[in-house]
Amino acid sequence: MPPKVKSSTTSSPSATSETPVQFVKGVGPRLGAVFTSRGIVTVKDLLTFFPRSYEDRTRLLKVSELSDGEKSTVAVRVTNSKKIPLKMGRSILDVSTADESGTLGLKWFHAPRGMESRFTPGTQIIVTGTVKMFMSRPQMVHPEIAWGLSSQVVEEKGQPNVGRVVPVYTELEGIPSRSFRKILWEALEKFSETLTEDLPIRYREAHQLPKLGEAVKAIHFPDTEEGVDAGTSKAANAQAIQDLVDFNTPAHARLIYEEFFKFEYLILRQRLHMEQEHAPAFGTSGGKKAMQDLTGLLPFKLTGDQQKAIDEIATDLSQTHPMNRLIQGDVGSGKTAVAFLTAGLVLAEGGQAALMAPTEILAEQHYRNAVKLFGGRLAVHMLVGKTPQSERIQLQAKLASGMPLLLIGTHALIEDPVVFKNLVFVMIDEQHRFGVEQRRTLRRKGMRADAQTGKLLQPHSLILTATPIPRTLALTAYGDLGVSTIREMPPGRIPIISKVIQGNARIRAYETIRGELIKGHQAYFIYPLVNDSEAEGFTSLKSAVAEAETLQQEVFPEFKVGLLHGQMKSDEKSAVMDRFKRNELQVLVSTTVVEVGVDVPNATIMVIEHSERFGLSQLHQLRGRVGRGSAQSYCFFFASAKVAEMTSLRLDVLEETNDGFKIAEADLRIRGPGEFLGTRQAGGLPFKLADIVRDRDWLLKAREDAQELLKTDPNLEQSENLPLRRYYEREGKLQFERLKTS
Ligand code: ADP
Ligand code: MG
């Protein structure tokens, strides 16, 4: 039975959901500080600290019904207790209890001081713990105790910790689960009705979702008793508990939907905003023709998907509001050409463009390609960390003059002294390697006031990613982007043969590799670590430095093995990369610095050591370094035999498919959105309960509704939408600049 709300408390002026948490009964200043340190500052924070799971304590068992290994709850009476001293001032607390059906032993190896004094014979307690049969007598070690409760009291009054399905929270250090449940129970009783409804009523009603107060109560202390009372089968009860554990109840739905709705409305609104911002339009004075000419210089014909992406970008560039577009295409699908050609359009009409890549190796590769392909037609420059000062000064003058050029570089582009006069098109390659702030900084370099109208002009922006973004993520983390997808691969690619390799199979793999090397091809060996000192306790991890030695001396003495890793100076790195490109090195041992972009078509072998340490998408990226030429390529995922069992299941996906989209979906399912997006994008998804994979259906509904709301009441002025508007204002999440309603 959920706690009842006393109407008198809700009218008390002191009881609001913003009340500091220390004023909840049972908290006080000391625990209040513990809560606050974990981000639970107000009552509202407490009430929205949701359970991560549930435990069935609806049924109080009899001692005679206990069975080994089951977590169970029983009501018993203390019959005896004794403290057994051990060495070094430690002791064991041993308590005997019984009900009418049998006896139960309780044991503590580190009993809190003074605890024994509470177990006076005759005391009624309710005990929850995992049963261990010891000489055919039940025992529990370190059980949870509810004091002074008999089964009768539980039935009559309702309790937070026993006689119900109880919530399970992420533990806060210093607050035992029992106390935490009690505190929440009190907080709900006094404050749940003070939570304000932000969600417009019509959406709640349309989906038949419970009110906020009800949902919050039910999510903490779900009411499953009715089912049991009504004599419903055990199976039905088990189903009800399963639904809770799966977050599949009306209360969960309500809160999940609300999280999605609030988020979707915001990002859709931001997108609308962007459409009302200003940017210079391109494509009307010769740019398209120039782009066609450049296309003719390519040594290949564009794929249909490349052409489509180019058309979509050109359409965006022709608008007077800034483009904000993502090109997603699998490794090797030819995104770079799309970036270069559209930059050509902009340059032809007098604009400056910048392409930022995450590593120097990649920036240099892009630069060389651009010069090779379009050198005579486009002014292409490069700026990376090691660019000498004299060159920087010359380059700076060009940027400041406003002359049309394409500047390719690393994050050196976003450093302070770099000033463009007329940066109108920014491109970011391998966007997942950059943080939100870095992307923004580059965009800011292109903001300026329009000379004639004084309006703030923004640059167009295009981001490139080889980690395809599953649709659910695209709608959330990247909801304000237009997306172009390149699915079609350039013709003539032969699918890579992939194998997960464990144990002795490694020897055979080495022979396959030798065969390829003899044919004149090259191989990458990727390791998760640079050197052994990084491993800290994982001494069995192979490191790049040590393995480069071994491979050279023992495995491939007849070939040249090179080493590349992120701790090398950038000159050294490019020297090694150049030697590999020229086939002076046949084997390149490396860390994941070659993960992105590197293009050496003669390399046909990719070996990844400790594959189990990488995410699927990252492995797929690494694999994409081969299969770039016209020869058959191979990828070997080496996994230690020990971990093979648990990881082979996910690595299997890589054996089965080369389709980056399928792999990304699997990766997202396995690792969840936080891991998938990586720490650099953390904070992108602010959901407490909602999970974009599990709750995909609610996400789509919420998005549709948010879209409708944005159409019908863009500035949230209608009375039923005012609470939502106040929510955004309170949270400071939205500078509520008015959207034009035309
Ligand atoms: P990614 O999308 O992974 O960045 P790249 O742009 O590096 O891929 O392209 C991979 C390789 O494919 C490059 O060598 C590039 O020249 C080549 N390429 C790109 N487009 C085509 C095409 N339409 N036909 C043939 N080869 C192409
Ligand atoms: Mg690329």
Side-chain angles (χ1 to χ4, degrees), residues 346-410:
V346 166
L347 264 62
E349 296 188 4
Q352 294 179 324
L355 170 62
M356 182 162 75
T359 63
E360 277 187 9
I361 292 177
L362 195 51
E364 282 177 338
Q365 184 182 292
H366 284 335
Y367 172 71
R368 282 182 210 164
N369 272 337
V371 171
K372 193 170 82 194
L373 291 171
F374 313 117
R377 304 286 196 95
L378 294 181
V380 186
H381 297 271
M382 180 170 73
L383 177 64
V384 293
K386 67 178 180 204
T387 305
Q389 191 58 24
S390 55
E391 258 177 59
R392 282 176 189 243
I393 291 169
Q394 285 178 9
L395 181 59
Q396 200 50 258
K398 289 190 171 124
L399 297 179
S401 77
M403 67 173 272
L405 55 76
L406 168 62
L407 181 61
I408 297 173
T410 54

Side-chain angles (χ1 to χ4, degrees), residues 300-303 306 331-336 490 493 599 628:
F300 47 73
K301 197 168 162 298
L302 293 173
T303 63
Q306 281 173 315
V331 259
S333 62
K335 297 180 291 294
T336 323
R493 296 275 162 85
D599 189 27
R628 306 190 140 236

Side-chain angles (χ1 to χ4, degrees), residues 617-738:
S617 296
Q618 199 181 6
L619 291 170
H620 179 62
Q621 281 281 319
L622 286 164
R623 172 166 65 184
R625 296 309 107 220
V626 297
R628 306 190 140 236
S630 50
Q632 176 67 56
S633 290
Y634 303 85
C635 183
F636 298 111
F637 300 101
F638 284 7
S640 353
K642 261 183 294 183
V643 288
E645 209 170 305
M646 78 185 198
T647 52
S648 67
L649 206 118
R650 52 180 206 111
L651 294 178
D652 282 355
V653 178
L654 293 164
E655 275 188 352
E656 279 157 24
T657 181
N658 268 313
D659 182 338
F661 285 82
K662 284 192 189 136
I663 291 164
E665 292 278 359
D667 203 17
L668 179 63
R669 255 194 330 272
I670 293 163
R671 291 195 298 160
E675 283 282 308
F676 181 86
L677 286 170
T679 44
R680 281 175 172 278
Q681 321 244 344
L685 294 179
F687 306 128
K688 283 183 170 177
L689 276 176
D691 176 312
I692 59 172
V693 181
R694 184 193 60 208
D695 306 319
R696 189 195 147 94
D697 291 348
W698 283 117
L699 170 63
L700 298 178
K701 282 181 200 151
R703 184 176 174 85
E704 227 170 80
D705 294 343
Q707 226 144 14
E708 187 212 68
L709 180 60
L710 207 49
K711 275 213 193 82
T712 52
D713 186 13
N715 292 302
L716 300 180
E717 287 162 332
Q718 292 164 16
S719 66
E720 75 160 54
N721 302 328
L722 279 178
L724 184 61
R725 181 182 169 127
R726 280 195 215 101
Y727 158 79
Y728 286 125
E729 285 169 347
R730 246 188 348 261
E731 300 284 308
K733 285 212 173 113
L734 192 64
Q735 283 92 37
F736 235 89
E737 296 147 75
R738 284 186 58 86

Side-chain angles (χ1 to χ4, degrees), residues 541-614:
L541 273 182
K542 297 196 153 72
S543 73
V545 173
E547 284 300 299
E549 270 305 301
T550 317
L551 285 175
Q552 178 70 84
Q553 310 283 334
E554 293 168 24
V555 188
F556 302 117
E558 69 272 44
F559 299 105
K560 276 230 164 334
V561 178
L563 175 65
L564 181 74
H565 59 73
Q567 290 175 13
M568 285 161 56
K569 293 217 186 71
S570 72
D571 286 353
E572 293 169 357
K573 274 192 278 192
S574 10
V576 171
M577 208 55 227
D578 284 344
R579 293 184 65 203
F580 188 63
K581 274 192 185 149
R582 289 197 299 265
N583 200 0
E584 291 166 24
L585 299 170
Q586 287 75 50
V587 176
L588 183 65
V589 174
S590 174
T591 56
T592 54
V593 287
V594 301
E595 176 193 341
V596 294
V598 171
D599 189 27
V600 180
N602 190 49
T604 57
I605 296 272
M606 169 60 68
V607 176
I608 304 163
E609 283 278 1
H610 293 290
S611 301
E612 71 278 2
R613 309 248 311 170
F614 299 94

Side-chain angles (χ1 to χ4, degrees), residues 269-576:
R269 196 170 195 283
Q270 269 160 16
R271 184 170 182 169
L272 210 58
H273 244 295
M274 191 99 65
E275 284 168 21
Q276 298 186 359
E277 283 171 343
H278 306 284
F282 291 91
T284 48
S285 47
K288 285 198 173 147
K289 171 76 174 57
M291 186 163 69
Q292 266 164 20
D293 293 347
L294 293 176
T295 309
L297 297 176
L298 292 172
F300 47 73
K301 197 168 162 298
L302 293 173
T303 63
D305 280 352
Q306 281 173 315
Q307 189 58 56
K308 189 158 155 267
I310 288 172
D311 293 343
E312 284 164 349
I313 294 164
T315 303
D316 283 0
L317 290 171
S318 72
Q319 312 285 310
T320 52
H321 57 79
M323 167 170 75
N324 197 18
R325 182 166 287 276
L326 170 81
I327 308 185
Q328 55 173 352
D330 218 336
V331 259
S333 62
K335 297 180 291 294
T336 323
V338 173
F340 286 166
L341 291 172
T342 50
L345 186 160
V346 166
L347 264 62
E349 296 188 4
Q352 294 179 324
L355 170 62
M356 182 162 75
T359 63
E360 277 187 9
I361 292 177
L362 195 51
E364 282 177 338
Q365 184 182 292
H366 284 335
Y367 172 71
R368 282 182 210 164
N369 272 337
V371 171
K372 193 170 82 194
L373 291 171
F374 313 117
R377 304 286 196 95
L378 294 181
V380 186
H381 297 271
M382 180 170 73
L383 177 64
V384 293
K386 67 178 180 204
T387 305
Q389 191 58 24
S390 55
E391 258 177 59
R392 282 176 189 243
I393 291 169
Q394 285 178 9
L395 181 59
Q396 200 50 258
K398 289 190 171 124
L399 297 179
S401 77
M403 67 173 272
L405 55 76
L406 168 62
L407 181 61
I408 297 173
T410 54
H411 49 262
L413 296 187
I414 55 178
E415 277 157 16
D416 227 4
V418 181
V419 180
F420 296 81
K421 172 136 190 248
N422 190 26
L423 177 62
V424 291
F425 188 24
V426 305
M427 296 171 284
I428 296 173
D429 194 18
E430 307 294 348
Q431 62 84 31
H432 64 286
R433 287 293 199 98
F434 292 101
V436 177
E437 201 40 52
Q438 289 171 309
R439 302 205 295 254
R440 219 174 269 152
T441 310
L442 185 58
R443 269 221 308 269
R444 267 201 297 271
K445 300 233 171 211
M447 287 187 197
R448 71 220 138 83
D450 184 33
Q452 272 132 47
T453 61
K455 281 180 187 157
L456 179 69
L457 293 180
Q458 312 258 357
H460 296 287
S461 81
L462 181 66
I463 63 185
L464 281 59
T465 183
T467 302
I469 293 160
R471 182 168 145 74
T472 42
L473 261 187
L475 294 181
T476 49
Y478 302 92
D480 54 347
L481 295 177
V483 179
S484 296
T485 301
I486 304 184
R487 274 205 100 116
E488 190 183 349
M489 285 296 197
R493 296 275 162 85
I494 304 169
I496 302 163
I497 296 174
S498 299
K499 279 250 164 307
V500 178
I501 304 282
Q502 298 156 16
N504 287 337
R506 177 184 291 263
I507 310 295
R508 247 174 298 139
Y510 281 153
E511 288 321 306
T512 310
I513 295 166
R514 189 184 316 282
E516 279 297 297
L517 296 176
I518 289 169
K519 279 193 236 161
H521 295 307
Q522 292 164 278
Y524 296 96
F525 277 73
I526 308 296
Y527 298 85
L529 299 171
V530 178
N531 53 49
D532 279 331
S533 61
E534 272 181 89
E536 282 175 50
F538 295 93
T539 39
S540 63
L541 273 182
K542 297 196 153 72
S543 73
V545 173
E547 284 300 299
E549 270 305 301
T550 317
L551 285 175
Q552 178 70 84
Q553 310 283 334
E554 293 168 24
V555 188
F556 302 117
E558 69 272 44
F559 299 105
K560 276 230 164 334
V561 178
L563 175 65
L564 181 74
H565 59 73
Q567 290 175 13
M568 285 161 56
K569 293 217 186 71
S570 72
D571 286 353
E572 293 169 357
K573 274 192 278 192
S574 10
V576 171

